[in-house]
Amino acid sequence: MSPPDDVVDAAMGRALGLAAAAQEWGDTPIGAVVLGPDGAVLAEAANEREKRGDPTAHAEVLALRAAAGVHGDGWRLTGATLVVTLEPCTMCAGASVLARVERVVYGADDPKAGAAGSLWDVVRDRRLNHRPQVTGGVRAEESATLLRAFFRRKRGL
Ligand SMILES: [Zn+2]
């Protein structure tokens, strides 16, 4: 069981809002929301790599950690859905496998570092014993627009 499309779409809206907020402290605009099996928001986070000076403080990792604290099944996020604005990197794809999330939904593809189908497919690697379902391209243009504008500003254009 995974939350219906409209609930996932609304969660992506929240994640996009978090992504926009990350720019305020100089982080790349990426946001993540973790939904429980019933569609309730368990946790959410923005990218805080620059803010914390922590290479692992990606939105997905922060949201998965916080979600595990409220999900009620120890570290396992059984039946949960990770909703994130950009295709997860190898670390975050790996974290979603380790957390046993049921589904990963992402916005824009990341051809330079994506590990949910673009460069690698860590989430659906048949050698792993848990493989979340993957849905990409949800509100992708909104996420891509945010990222493009951020990098354009960063380059001072
Ligand atoms: Zn990541």
Side-chain angles (χ1 to χ4, degrees), residues 97-122:
V97 171
L98 293 175
R100 308 278 195 269
V101 304
E102 183 169 318
R103 189 177 172 207
V104 174
V105 177
Y106 70 85
D109 286 332
D110 185 356
K112 288 183 182 156
S118 288
L119 272 193
W120 299 278
D121 198 347
V122 171

Side-chain angles (χ1 to χ4, degrees), residues 11-12 17-18 27 33 36 38 41 51 55 60-61 75 79 81 89 103-104 109 112 114 119 122 138 142:
M12 187 61 84
L18 290 156
D27 261 296
V33 172
D38 59 352
V41 173
K51 188 184 191 181
E60 300 96 309
V61 167
W75 54 267
T81 299
C89 70
R103 189 177 172 207
V104 174
D109 286 332
K112 288 183 182 156
L119 272 193
V122 171
V138 175
E142 290 168 77

